[in-house]
Amino acid sequence: MSFFGFDPTAPQQQSHPQQHQHQQQQRSQHQQQRSQQPLDFEDTYKGYGDYQAEDEDFLNDETFGNNVELGNNFDFGHSQQQQQQPQVGQPPAAPVPHRSYVAAAASGTSQQAHMDAAVDLRPMESLWNPNSGAAANTAGPTGDQAEQPRVLSMEEIERNQRQMQMHPPPPPPQGYPAMQGYPMPPGNFMPPPGQNYPMMAPPPQQQQQHQQFQQMRPVFNQPNYMGYPGNAPPPHHQPQQPHQPQKQQMVAPQMQFPPQQQQQQQPVQQAPEQQAPHEQQLASQVAMPQMDRSSSSLSQSSNERDNFKGHPRQPHQRQPRNREPLTPEEQKRLEVRHAKVEKILKHSGLMTPRDKDFITRYQLSQIVTEDPYNEDFYFQVYKIIQRGGVVGESNKGLIARAYLEHSGHRLGGRYKRADIALQRMQSQVEKAVTVAKERPLRKQEKEQSRENSNTEGSNSAGVSSAGQSNDNRDGVLGKISSSLNSKAPRRQLQIPTSNKTLLNSLLVNDEHATAAKPTNPDALMEVTESLGNVELSQTARVRRRSSYAFTSVDQSSVLSRSGGRKFVLSLIETVYEEVLELEANLRSGKPIDNKKLWEALHINDELYEVCPFISMLSFDKGVKIMPRIFNFLEKDQKLKLLQTFFSELSHLNIIIISSYKTNPEPTESQLKQIDIFQTVFLKIIVSFLSSSSNFIEIMGLLLHLIKNNNVSFISTSKIGLNLITVLISRAALIRQDTNRSNMLSSPEISTWNEIYDKLFTALESKLAAVFPPKEYIQKVTSVHLKGHVAPGATPQHYDQAYIWQFLASLALSGKLNHQRIIIDEVRDQIFGTINEAEQLKETAKTPTESVDDLVYRREKLYQDLNLFLNVMGLVSRDGEISELK
Amino acid sequence: MLFFSFFKTLVDQEVVVQLKNDIELKGTLQSVDQFLNLKLDNISCTDEEKYPHLVSVRNIFIRGSTVRYVYLNKNMVDTNLLQDATRREAMSERK
């Protein structure tokens, strides 16, 4: 016995070319002796010893089998057959049984497969066929008698080895006649008396079979996956069941073992072979020797195939009706079925449930996480959003279910016993989590990153450190790496992060230095609570000039004044991170501290001319995060934020984009941006104002707006106008409310009047300017049209409702003289709107516009207009303005 | 883990997978694992003229490394959530 199937006792191996090289000198000396003498070491030495011995090499036999050639990849199912084939022509001199565990396992499985079915669904023979004896005689498989003893148990092989050591290899002819498939005396299956190779004798045979029976259990359990024995029979074994009765019948009359032994232990398949009738034996032996020689250690399953192909007369599956010759069709079908069965059985039984358990656990450990909301964030949250919140279901349960659902473990029917399997699987996952926990991942990663920062992005560092720690697992499950897993896959690019952040901070500092102009921190700007103080500060005055607004038209200049584009973008990311952190805390019930978030917002930052927070809002993602920020802010923080927001409205990119003055030709994407801002940010402001702010606070915000901005410019933009509308309409509502209960103090009212006067003065004589010019309207509609090319979509019309809303709320808060001024200024627009509506009535309908559509538009125009007119007790209808009754 | 997490949400959805050998397969995503191996069910090949051998195939296991693109329907993705998930991933890597 030696490594890899090298057989020191086999003379025919001399002709092996490799050996040739190694042994040229010795060869001449030993040539003559070789034929009669036992081989000695020098003869057969292949030079493998030149390689350094490795640990546990002595186990190689057990691992690989002892008759496998070097340099071959293992095909556990068929390697023997393939490798042995070339030796067909060689004399069958080697007496050493070419048994490998591999082959034994393979043949074992095929037997087990039969057993599986047999145990479960074996009918009583006597019930089925009283003439089975005859059937067996005529149809019993032939010539395979040599097969049976080939499968050896561990004990047998050990015994053989011991005997081999004691007795030098015996002369070939006496060896194992039966095993070699030589013709032997009919009926005499036993080796000649006096032979001391017990493997041929019945007792070990039984033992062996018994062992196989035990081996069988894993296979039998396999479909249950986790070792629930005895569930429904595995589906892929079912095709075999029909054969069983016949086989049993064939076997029964010639039973040599005690019946109960037969019942339990005798692999059905082997029995007929062993007890094959003599005449059949003789007949088949003509064909057998060649095959047997070539496959002295053939696995049974491959043997079956060989028999089947080479000797169509012999298949043991043959059934009583086979007395009539098989039709080609049947034969073909049998062949196909057989091939299928064999394919299934090829590798079955190689792994015990424990093996599978281990591998499953390992695979799962790569998938499961302790912290699903961190590492599996998208999936978890997505599922919650989709299902409307299945929070109760744990990550582990989900994984177990998914695994069961998709890994094809049917458990004898997809739904049968699924809950037990699920429980079982969940406990698997628990274990897997433990494995994952034990993985020294964190530590390694840290090491890795440290190394990387030292070596500046060299890949090798990470790989080598990962490689060392996994040596123990390598080879068992292929290449497994605990640090390079799905959570931390191999990087294509490795950027030394620590250096980068350093660089970044340097960069930012640099930007700070260049961007931070010496500004005059005017105390007045921050005094908001002093309501009476409407005096304009120096900077505020500058800001109010209309020319100043245009300095903010260029977005990049605004950005640079608030720290630079990069700085703003990184700030947004910081804000996101803080919000995510806070949200994670919220989920896990940890206390929430928004200090860092507040700092990241840079609300009170005096360092920059334009508050970075305002610049954040010029990016869509900065706008989108706002509602989530608001979830974590205290009320006074929100107020502060809004104060800053209204103070710096002129710098707000969205105002500039949405103003027809600064952006007469808005693009589609800009219009989208406006939409987003409106839906996201305006909503926040409205909800804040309506839910938690009082009159004074609203006045304060309005004051901030008027003090620091050019109101007439802001009013030319849709967003700006909306913002003003929100403030004054809310104030008007509160005033109406409190009028009834007299809650407003007179100073409050007087302050409000003062502020309103300020606002009105700023807007006076420019009220008509809130209406965008025709060109702008056309442009916007055309862009909208381009965006919605879908046929059938109703053509968009510029919705002026927001303007009338503004005028309405402005008029609502004003006195009669204010209202008169407003009407004076927008008279043209009022009549223009009425005209437009009336024209719509008269226009013959165009193919693109249905009557309904025209009616709707007309109604809409009147509705919007009346919103404003109603405030003054007027109403317009059918081209006329009348008093509201 | 992000991509694994993402593809898990596509299970039971219909996707088109383009392989690196230009074969395009449409099918229902049955499962995905951490190597982004994909199992597709009810597949159909978009170019059956060219790859007739796939006509009779019903389901398929695709090794993740052979995939070039997975085409998705737009509404299968929650982009905002994906952005957040990406940020989280980046955050956890920095830690």
Side-chain angles (χ1 to χ4, degrees), chain A residues 376 379 406 486 573 628, chain B residues 1 5 8 39 84 87:
Chain A
D376 199 14
F379 178 81
H406 297 295
S486 54
E573 288 306 317
R628 295 161 72 184
Chain B
M1 207 70 178
S5 190
K8 272 201 289 183
K39 259 194 202 168
D84 277 5
R87 290 198 174 96

Side-chain angles (χ1 to χ4, degrees), chain A residues 363 366-369 373-383 385 395 399 406-408 486-489 491 501 572-573 576-578 580-581 583-584 587 621 624 628, chain B residues 1-2 4-13 29-35 39 75-95:
Chain A
Q363 285 173 336
Q366 307 261 309
I367 300 177
V368 294
T369 73
Y373 277 109
N374 195 22
E375 291 175 1
D376 199 14
F377 182 78
Y378 184 83
F379 178 81
Q380 297 297 333
V381 179
Y382 188 88
K383 282 294 163 201
I385 292 171
N395 176 48
I399 286 179
H406 297 295
S407 57
S486 54
K487 286 168 211 160
R491 303 280 158 78
T501 46
I572 293 176
E573 288 306 317
Y576 263 99
E577 277 167 27
E578 294 304 333
L580 284 170
E581 197 82 19
E583 283 174 347
R587 266 196 302 270
K621 59 178 176 180
K624 281 180 191 163
R628 295 161 72 184
Chain B
M1 207 70 178
L2 174 65
F4 176 45
S5 190
F6 172 69
F7 276 105
K8 272 201 289 183
T9 65
L10 298 178
V11 166
D12 292 337
Q13 308 266 25
L29 187 64
Q30 223 182 344
S31 69
V32 62
D33 66 9
Q34 74 265 40
F35 308 106
K39 259 194 202 168
N75 54 28
M76 293 180 195
V77 193
D78 186 335
T79 43
N80 287 326
L81 184 58
L82 192 58
Q83 283 177 19
D84 277 5
T86 316
R87 290 198 174 96
R88 287 201 74 95
E89 180 112 329
M91 278 163 70
S92 63
E93 271 168 27
R94 231 174 296 148
K95 272 176 201 164

Side-chain angles (χ1 to χ4, degrees), chain A residues 547-566:
Chain A
S547 62
Y548 182 77
F550 289 95
T551 60
S552 296
V553 172
D554 185 13
Q555 197 200 348
S556 60
S557 91
V558 177
L559 287 176
S560 74
R561 279 184 287 160
S562 63
R565 185 187 154 84
K566 252 189 191 161

Side-chain angles (χ1 to χ4, degrees), chain A residues 115 119 208-217 264:
Chain A
M115 281 293 285
V119 167
Q208 158 209 349
Q209 283 159 358
H210 183 75
Q211 201 178 26
Q212 280 166 1
F213 183 69
Q214 284 170 337
Q215 269 177 7
M216 183 209 75
R217 295 182 62 85
Q264 290 178 350

